[in-house]
Amino acid sequence: MAADLSSSLAAWALLVAGLACLPFAVRWLVRRKAWGPMAPNAARILTSLPLGPQQKVVTLEMGPKEARFQLVLGVTPQAITCLHKMATQPDERTHVTD
């Protein structure tokens, strides 16, 4: 009877430990594989140029894969201002001409 109790406690302890690790494993997989609702349209930081102690200019690429665009943003502690918006040019290395 004592052996059954110890094996049952060990099984429960293993189950609880596995369930406790599950959120960390899911978060790691989402970061690793870029899954999730925002993955195809995720913003990507291209450049970040500091102008002062609390000001910088950031260039982002975002939008759906077929219509990506770039934003140039001015970032301060009080506000984020869109300075310019431009369409992303297709990569010439993958562009095939006949």
Side-chain angles (χ1 to χ4, degrees):
M1 178 128 168
D4 290 337
L5 183 61
S6 65
S7 65
S8 177
L9 284 174
W12 276 105
L14 193 59
L15 177 67
V16 169
L19 289 175
C21 293
L22 187 62
F24 298 106
V26 168
R27 185 174 11 161
W28 178 80
L29 281 173
V30 166
R31 286 183 183 169
R32 180 89 172 139
K33 298 293 183 183
W35 291 335
M38 292 296 292
N41 300 329
R44 186 172 63 132
I45 297 175
L46 299 177
T47 60
S48 178
L49 177 68
L51 299 177
Q54 296 184 343
Q55 299 92 15
K56 60 179 142 178
V57 174
V58 178
T59 306
L60 298 175
E61 183 180 51
M62 56 192 321
K65 188 174 185 177
E66 60 278 350
R68 304 278 296 168
F69 59 93
Q70 294 179 358
L71 294 175
V72 180
L73 305 174
V75 181
T76 67
Q78 293 81 22
I80 299 174
T81 307
C82 183
L83 303 174
H84 188 67
K85 179 180 177 181
M86 59 190 142
T88 301
Q89 298 298 321
D91 191 8
E92 284 129 17
R93 290 175 285 157
T94 60
H95 184 56
V96 178
T97 58
D98 293 325

